[in-house]
Amino acid sequence: MDPKLGRMVSALLALLLLLLGGMSSPSSPQAGLLEKVFWYMDLHQDEFVQKLKEWVAIESDSIQPVPHLRQELSRMMAVAAEELRRLGASVDLEDLGSQQLPDGQTLPIPPVILGELGNDPGKPTVCFYGHLDVQPATQADGWLTDPYTLTEVDGKLYGRGATDNKGPVLAWINAMRAFRALEEDLPVNIKFIIEGMEEAGSVALEELVRREKDRFFSSVDYIVISDNLWVSQRRPALIYGTRGNCYFTVEVTCRDQDFHSGTFGGILQEPMADLVALLGSLTDSAGHILIPGIYDHVAPLTEEEKELYGAIDLDLEEYRNSSRVKKFLFDTKEEILMHLWRYPSLSIHGIEGAFDEPGTKTVIPGRVLGKFSIRLVPHMNMSVVEKQVQQYLQYIFSQRNSSNQMAVSMVLGLHPWIADIKDHQYLAAKRAIKTVFGTEPDMIRDGSTIPIAKIFQDIIQKSVLMLPLGAVDDGEHSQNEKINRWNYIEGSKLFAAFFLEVAQLHE
Amino acid sequence: MDPKLGRMVSALLALLLLLLGGMSSPSSPQAGLLEKVFWYMDLHQDEFVQKLKEWVAIESDSIQPVPHLRQELSRMMAVAAEELRRLGASVDLEDLGSQQLPDGQTLPIPPVILGELGNDPGKPTVCFYGHLDVQPATQADGWLTDPYTLTEVDGKLYGRGATDNKGPVLAWINAMRAFRALEEDLPVNIKFIIEGMEEAGSVALEELVRREKDRFFSSVDYIVISDNLWVSQRRPALIYGTRGNCYFTVEVTCRDQDFHSGTFGGILQEPMADLVALLGSLTDSAGHILIPGIYDHVAPLTEEEKELYGAIDLDLEEYRNSSRVKKFLFDTKEEILMHLWRYPSLSIHGIEGAFDEPGTKTVIPGRVLGKFSIRLVPHMNMSVVEKQVQQYLQYIFSQRNSSNQMAVSMVLGLHPWIADIKDHQYLAAKRAIKTVFGTEPDMIRDGSTIPIAKIFQDIIQKSVLMLPLGAVDDGEHSQNEKINRWNYIEGSKLFAAFFLEVAQLHE
């Protein structure tokens, strides 16, 4: 059967069931409403996909500092604003001015959408955060299809931004649209903040949130972010924590100019020798961080938390294979997940100033800059970590009796984020997942750092929920990024169900 | 007084002294001949400088793979060949074909000059090696004058190639010219091999030497290279050794793709952690190489050799200051020189595949390639060193129990070279230095690797002498390279005196 025809038949069956359900009186008025909404979504799913196709077609790349791409970004924001206005939302496009790049070039920052639909004081207000900018992509990178032409193959919708983050933003809009189209009252007031610079570090966003704290955000009860992935291909997840990050540089200088290893090799304390010793002192071969005291403030593992890891749907063998890693540091799912989510890790990223090109240059670098970072977890304290790293590296360096200069700097500090999973909206999201997917969610964290969650939590001081829609294999930031049609449509339903659940629990 | 006028007066005074000397009968006919030659050189020094200016004006850069620079190189070789022919030499321009660059581009190799003047079987044959290609230079690099316009300031002749190696090649030609101009018989047969690819690794030269071993080189008794510098600003030197070099790569691979430190940090044995541990195991903080057995074959220090270091004119404080190094690993001149010349050293050059740019990328490199090299000294054996390095790094890696792949390769192996300083031509050069400069030379080595000396020694199996003309501060390969007018003219005299001394000693 033609897949389009098949989908039509499914929708009509759903309608039939709905009508039959109506006759035999539904278990609750809410359940009946939701059935109607789901039916609408099944029936209109091709329109939803078509809309995603239109959005993917806009090359809203915020990474490459090219004026015409910034124009595309602004166009993307205007197209989204127009879409929201058509649904009855009031929308402001906040001008954030321009940014100056390290090369001196000035580029406009795309405006941020601040929108709202409904302001009934009897309803809770849920604010959705999303972004419409994407990572760069060209077919030459290894895409099997044009990255800016959404292409469906076996139920997978391939295209740059399909899962990160245009699909989830549209899923939220689809949920709103279904209520409006069915002329049903939205159970929640909705706000949205949609930016166009997430991939480039959310330039100027924190400032905007701070500025709007007592205006736009004053009525917000819950914040929802849907910018991650499940850890499974089929089982939904709720994300309740992300690690922070302290990024360090350690610079060793003999002089500002390089030396020739023939004419100076043998009489210098070479900066690279100092630097590899410093970097080598940071971890042992089992990945354990050797900086004294670094684990002191890591939150103790409770029995309750421990149980969460066991329940998670992760096939370790499949994960290892798809990661193309011969062996991980740990052998059990629980240890793997804990070391990604709830324990700090230290990675050495590289060295600036040494010889890094192909060939056999016989240089003694005169000044080298090592880079490493520590992923922070609750309840590590950034300034304590900074001090511990400083003191430890000073100590290691002093042991070397080197005549070189050493300087350690923490150049970036981002807090970890953790949510209270007993909060109303987590409960609401769990119920919505049960309704749409018939299962409990994986309760997961993200090992990487998503500063915006912590920014919202700290500034607006409301509960932040991460409710991802995409499957583990969606390949965000990679070639052949995709979102499954199933995830996109069921995700739209999930948001609709979430509206109802959060409204009910808020009462 | 105008410097040009001053030089004229000096030359006339020299002539006067010569005439007076002639009347009072010179100590030997040889001394009289030399005085005439020196007088000629003083009188014609501006022509010598003018010739150097013409040669420096040719941008014979062999490093930048640009067709028009290769044309300039070929023009340089043709100009030099013509110059030699005018002096009566027979010259062949040996076509070495072309080279293919890593990017697929094919560029012609400039021809090598094989020339000779005189073939009297009663005279020794001295073969001079030099090169006429230069390192790249643009005024934007920080030159105070146009690098290709030889410019005299305070007796310093600034220009790319002035000291490396156009000046010394011309000094040799100036010496030949003086004898010819004075219609005096050259005391030696002269051969020369002059190439245009030295800075780019003497492409195809070894092959040519091997091919010409029993033809062009069959009659050669001595080989002279003048492509280094003194260790002093005023005191000449003889060079009797250079270090070799074994260049190693050590590759650690987890997978061919990088990881994100958020999503994988904590569960991987990171290749960079393995690599810094491997590189950090190579030396201690005092520069001592930790590879077992590496010092086993280093030639023992004799009393005779030890005395050479003490006699060398090196102001350690000035050397340290001009090197802009706060502190060397050793405090005495003798230790410094021995560790540059007669002991091996190990330098870490850099890492390929890690994050080496400005910024704070949170990458876990999947595959990294460390690079280091060991400067070899007599009587270290290259294949023994290779085995020692391999075994040691395998051992260190095995101690880490890493699941990554490691591979060590010796990608370049160049032998050290050492001459017998009791050889005739060393004695001849010492005497010539005494005659021209009134002093004993510093008997020095070069810590860097000059493969051509070892190639000549091994293939032709004749004594190789390094007889530098330039002062320690000439800045070869640097901005504002120069040769002092004094070094250039006295160096021309030195070669003339050397012709006579070597002829006399050879008898």
Side-chain angles (χ1 to χ4, degrees):
Chain A
M1 184 164 29
D2 173 71
K4 208 159 173 176
L5 188 62
R7 287 197 291 273
M8 186 72 81
V9 170
S10 307
L12 289 171
L13 275 172
L15 177 59
L16 188 64
L17 286 168
L18 178 70
L19 293 172
L20 289 171
M23 279 186 276
S24 63
S25 81
S27 51
S28 72
Q30 208 192 54
L33 169 59
L34 210 48
E35 277 168 6
K36 261 168 71 183
V37 166
F38 290 177
W39 161 77
Y40 176 88
M41 287 177 165
D42 281 327
L43 199 65
H44 292 84
Q45 60 174 284
D46 283 347
E47 288 163 41
F48 294 169
V49 171
Q50 177 57 30
K51 185 63 67 184
L52 181 57
K53 186 168 186 155
E54 287 166 27
W55 284 25
V56 163
I58 302 172
E59 191 178 349
S60 51
D61 169 355
S62 62
I63 301 287
Q64 297 182 75
V66 185
H68 95 262
L69 290 177
R70 285 300 162 93
Q71 281 170 16
E72 285 300 276
L73 260 170
S74 289
R75 185 162 76 89
M76 180 74 249
M77 303 316 286
V79 163
E82 191 45 40
E83 187 68 26
L84 291 164
R85 285 194 189 107
R86 268 201 299 270
L87 289 175
S90 66
V91 177
D92 280 334
L93 281 167
E94 292 288 322
D95 183 3
L96 298 187
S98 57
Q99 68 173 157
Q100 185 153 21
L101 300 178
D103 67 359
Q105 195 189 170
T106 299
L107 284 178
I109 301 174
V112 167
I113 291 175
L114 293 183
E116 60 181 302
L117 185 64
N119 57 359
D120 182 340
K123 295 176 186 172
T125 299
V126 180
C127 180
F128 180 82
Y129 162 85
H131 68 88
L132 295 176
D133 59 317
V134 298
Q135 289 277 330
T138 65
Q139 205 156 348
D141 295 341
W143 282 74
L144 300 173
T145 57
D146 173 22
Y148 295 104
T149 304
L150 191 77
T151 306
E152 184 163 9
V153 181
D154 288 340
K156 299 182 175 83
L157 304 165
Y158 290 96
R160 176 53 93 217
T163 198
D164 180 17
N165 185 223
K166 291 176 179 177
V169 171
L170 273 172
W172 188 267
I173 294 172
N174 295 340
M176 289 160 55
R177 178 193 304 275
F179 282 92
R180 304 286 291 184
L182 296 167
E183 295 184 353
E184 294 286 351
D185 190 34
L186 263 167
V188 290
N189 300 316
I190 289 177
K191 292 203 168 193
F192 22 81
I193 172 167
I194 302 176
E195 68 158 323
M197 289 296 280
E198 195 272 347
E199 303 294 358
S202 295
V203 178
L205 190 71
E206 180 170 355
E207 216 179 312
L208 175 70
V209 175
R210 221 173 273 284
R211 205 162 59 226
E212 292 292 336
K213 180 187 178 221
D214 297 320
R215 287 189 294 187
F216 180 79
F217 291 106
S218 63
S219 59
V220 169
D221 299 297
Y222 305 104
I223 296 140
V224 175
I225 299 172
S226 182
D227 193 20
N228 313 61
L229 301 177
W230 304 345
V231 286
S232 152
Q233 288 198 25
R234 298 292 293 182
R235 188 165 166 187
L238 289 186
I239 301 179
Y240 65 95
T242 59
R243 291 194 290 190
N245 198 17
C246 291
Y247 203 105
F248 289 90
T249 61
V250 48
E251 182 178 63
V252 182
T253 308
C254 180
R255 68 173 190 190
D256 273 340
Q257 209 179 334
D258 291 342
F259 299 88
H260 187 286
S261 71
T263 43
F264 281 94
I267 63 168
L268 291 182
Q269 278 177 312
E270 303 188 4
M272 271 297 275
D274 282 340
L275 184 60
V276 297
L278 290 162
L279 296 176
S281 74
L282 295 169
T283 57
D284 67 15
S285 62
H288 194 81
I289 306 173
L290 298 173
I291 300 160
I294 198 90
Y295 293 98
D296 286 356
H297 296 98
V298 173
L301 180 65
T302 62
E303 275 308 310
E304 202 182 347
E305 187 197 323
K306 206 170 169 184
E307 276 169 26
L308 294 175
Y309 301 108
I312 285 166
D313 180 25
L314 178 77
D315 182 330
L316 200 56
E317 203 49 29
E318 189 189 299
Y319 175 56
R320 206 185 48 68
N321 283 332
S322 69
S323 307
R324 291 183 294 113
V325 170
K326 209 171 108 197
K327 199 175 176 314
F328 288 128
L329 281 169
F330 306 96
D331 295 324
T332 67
K333 178 180 74 179
E334 287 79 358
E335 281 173 301
I336 294 277
L337 294 178
M338 285 192 274
H339 282 275
L340 284 175
W341 297 344
R342 63 121 41 242
Y343 289 120
S345 66
L346 189 152
S347 297
I348 302 168
H349 308 300
I351 294 171
E352 209 182 310
F355 175 54
D356 50 47
E357 285 166 47
T360 55
K361 193 173 175 186
T362 51
V363 68
I364 300 175
R367 175 189 158 280
V368 283
L369 186 76
K371 297 179 184 183
F372 65 93
S373 68
I374 300 174
R375 293 282 167 180
L376 299 195
V377 295
H379 308 293
M380 290 169 82
N381 178 302
M382 217 141 68
S383 57
V384 172
V385 168
E386 182 177 12
K387 206 168 156 189
Q388 287 166 336
V389 170
Q390 287 272 8
Q391 284 179 342
Y392 179 64
L393 288 180
Q394 294 291 355
Y395 166 76
I396 297 289
F397 189 67
S398 73
Q399 294 296 99
R400 292 182 62 79
N401 245 320
S402 173
S403 53
N404 295 320
Q405 303 293 313
M406 186 199 64
V408 181
S409 300
M410 191 173 94
V411 291
L412 194 73
L414 297 166
H415 291 283
W417 163 75
I418 191 142
D420 175 7
I421 61 171
K422 296 191 185 95
D423 185 89
H424 275 167
Q425 71 167 342
Y426 273 84
L427 197 52
K430 272 190 189 183
R431 285 189 188 170
I433 285 170
K434 183 84 180 176
T435 302
V436 176
F437 296 95
T439 178
E440 292 295 320
D442 283 330
M443 294 301 293
I444 67 175
R445 303 199 201 178
D446 192 318
S448 53
T449 307
I450 303 167
I452 192 68
K454 182 71 178 167
I455 289 170
F456 284 135
Q457 191 182 50
D458 283 357
I459 299 174
I460 310 178
Q461 304 202 311
K462 296 288 161 143
S463 162
V464 178
L465 164 71
M466 288 197 189
L467 184 53
L469 304 187
V472 66
D473 61 349
D474 275 2
E476 43 172 13
H477 292 209
S478 255
Q479 297 90 333
N480 304 306
E481 175 183 347
K482 58 94 179 162
I483 191 167
N484 301 324
R485 178 187 277 262
W486 182 75
N487 288 64
Y488 178 50
I489 302 302
E490 299 307 294
S492 301
K493 293 179 190 171
L494 174 59
F495 286 149
F498 175 73
F499 294 166
L500 284 164
E501 295 291 353
V502 89
Q504 200 168 33
L505 277 164
H506 190 70
E507 280 156 15
Chain B
M1 182 162 36
D2 174 69
K4 207 159 174 176
L5 188 62
R7 289 196 291 273
M8 186 72 78
V9 170
S10 307
L12 288 171
L13 275 173
L15 178 60
L16 188 63
L17 286 168
L18 179 71
L19 293 171
L20 290 171
M23 278 186 277
S24 63
S25 82
S27 53
S28 71
Q30 209 192 53
L33 170 58
L34 211 48
E35 278 170 4
K36 262 170 70 181
V37 167
F38 291 177
W39 162 78
Y40 177 87
M41 287 178 165
D42 282 329
L43 200 64
H44 291 84
Q45 57 176 285
D46 282 348
E47 287 163 41
F48 294 168
V49 171
Q50 177 57 31
K51 186 61 69 184
L52 180 56
K53 186 167 186 157
E54 287 165 27
W55 285 25
V56 163
I58 301 174
E59 192 178 349
S60 51
D61 168 354
S62 62
I63 301 288
Q64 297 182 76
V66 185
H68 94 261
L69 291 176
R70 284 301 162 93
Q71 282 171 17
E72 284 300 277
L73 259 170
S74 288
R75 185 162 76 89
M76 180 74 248
M77 302 317 286
V79 164
E82 190 46 41
E83 186 69 27
L84 290 164
R85 285 193 189 107
R86 269 202 298 269
L87 289 177
S90 67
V91 176
D92 280 333
L93 280 167
E94 292 287 322
D95 182 3
L96 297 187
S98 58
Q99 68 172 157
Q100 185 155 21
L101 299 177
D103 67 1
Q105 197 187 169
T106 299
L107 285 177
I109 301 174
V112 167
I113 291 175
L114 292 183
E116 59 181 299
L117 186 65
N119 57 359
D120 183 340
K123 295 177 187 171
T125 299
V126 181
C127 179
F128 180 82
Y129 163 85
H131 68 88
L132 295 177
D133 59 317
V134 297
Q135 288 276 330
T138 66
Q139 205 156 348
D141 295 341
W143 282 73
L144 299 173
T145 57
D146 172 22
Y148 295 104
T149 303
L150 192 77
T151 307
E152 184 163 8
V153 181
D154 287 340
K156 298 182 177 82
L157 304 165
Y158 291 96
R160 177 53 93 215
T163 198
D164 181 17
N165 184 224
K166 290 176 179 176
V169 171
L170 272 171
W172 188 267
I173 293 173
N174 296 340
M176 289 160 55
R177 178 195 304 275
F179 282 92
R180 302 287 291 183
L182 295 167
E183 296 183 354
E184 293 287 350
D185 191 33
L186 263 168
V188 291
N189 301 316
I190 287 178
K191 292 202 166 193
F192 22 83
I193 172 167
I194 302 176
E195 67 159 322
M197 289 295 281
E198 195 271 346
E199 302 294 358
S202 294
V203 178
L205 190 72
E206 180 170 357
E207 215 179 314
L208 175 71
V209 174
R210 220 173 274 283
R211 205 161 61 226
E212 293 292 337
K213 178 187 177 218
D214 297 321
R215 287 190 296 188
F216 181 79
F217 292 106
S218 64
S219 59
V220 169
D221 299 297
Y222 305 103
I223 295 140
V224 176
I225 299 171
S226 182
D227 192 20
N228 314 60
L229 301 176
W230 305 343
V231 287
S232 152
Q233 288 198 27
R234 298 293 292 184
R235 187 163 166 190
L238 289 185
I239 301 178
Y240 65 96
T242 59
R243 291 194 289 189
N245 198 17
C246 291
Y247 203 104
F248 289 91
T249 61
V250 48
E251 182 178 64
V252 182
T253 308
C254 179
R255 68 173 191 190
D256 274 340
Q257 209 178 334
D258 291 343
F259 300 87
H260 187 285
S261 71
T263 44
F264 282 94
I267 62 168
L268 293 181
Q269 278 178 311
E270 302 188 4
M272 273 297 276
D274 282 341
L275 185 60
V276 297
L278 289 163
L279 296 175
S281 75
L282 295 168
T283 57
D284 67 15
S285 62
H288 194 81
I289 306 174
L290 299 174
I291 300 160
I294 199 88
Y295 293 99
D296 286 357
H297 296 97
V298 173
L301 180 65
T302 62
E303 275 308 312
E304 204 181 346
E305 186 195 324
K306 206 171 168 182
E307 276 170 24
L308 294 176
Y309 301 107
I312 285 165
D313 179 24
L314 178 77
D315 182 329
L316 201 54
E317 203 48 28
E318 189 188 298
Y319 175 55
R320 206 184 47 69
N321 283 332
S322 69
S323 307
R324 291 183 295 114
V325 171
K326 208 171 110 197
K327 199 175 177 314
F328 289 128
L329 280 169
F330 306 96
D331 295 325
T332 68
K333 177 179 75 178
E334 288 78 0
E335 280 172 303
I336 294 276
L337 294 177
M338 284 193 272
H339 282 274
L340 283 176
W341 297 344
R342 63 123 39 242
Y343 290 120
S345 65
L346 189 152
S347 297
I348 301 169
H349 308 299
I351 295 172
E352 208 182 310
F355 175 54
D356 50 48
E357 285 165 46
T360 55
K361 191 173 175 185
T362 51
V363 69
I364 300 175
R367 176 189 156 281
V368 284
L369 187 75
K371 297 179 184 182
F372 65 93
S373 68
I374 300 174
R375 294 282 167 180
L376 298 194
V377 296
H379 307 292
M380 291 168 82
N381 177 302
M382 216 141 65
S383 57
V384 172
V385 168
E386 182 178 12
K387 207 168 154 188
Q388 287 167 336
V389 170
Q390 287 271 7
Q391 284 179 342
Y392 179 64
L393 288 180
Q394 294 291 355
Y395 166 75
I396 297 289
F397 189 68
S398 73
Q399 295 295 98
R400 291 183 61 81
N401 244 321
S402 173
S403 54
N404 295 321
Q405 302 293 313
M406 187 199 65
V408 181
S409 301
M410 191 173 96
V411 291
L412 194 72
L414 298 166
H415 291 283
W417 162 75
I418 191 142
D420 175 7
I421 60 172
K422 298 192 182 93
D423 185 90
H424 274 167
Q425 70 168 342
Y426 272 85
L427 197 52
K430 274 190 188 184
R431 287 189 186 170
I433 285 169
K434 184 85 182 174
T435 303
V436 176
F437 296 95
T439 177
E440 292 295 319
D442 284 329
M443 295 300 293
I444 68 175
R445 302 198 201 180
D446 192 319
S448 53
T449 306
I450 304 167
I452 192 69
K454 182 71 179 169
I455 288 170
F456 284 136
Q457 191 183 49
D458 283 356
I459 299 174
I460 309 175
Q461 302 202 312
K462 295 288 160 142
S463 163
V464 177
L465 163 72
M466 288 196 188
L467 185 53
L469 303 188
V472 67
D473 61 349
D474 275 2
E476 43 170 13
H477 292 208
S478 255
Q479 296 89 331
N480 304 307
E481 176 183 344
K482 59 93 180 163
I483 191 166
N484 301 324
R485 176 187 278 263
W486 182 75
N487 287 63
Y488 177 50
I489 301 303
E490 298 308 296
S492 302
K493 293 179 187 169
L494 174 59
F495 286 149
F498 175 73
F499 295 165
L500 283 164
E501 294 292 352
V502 88
Q504 198 167 35
L505 278 165
H506 190 73
E507 277 156 14

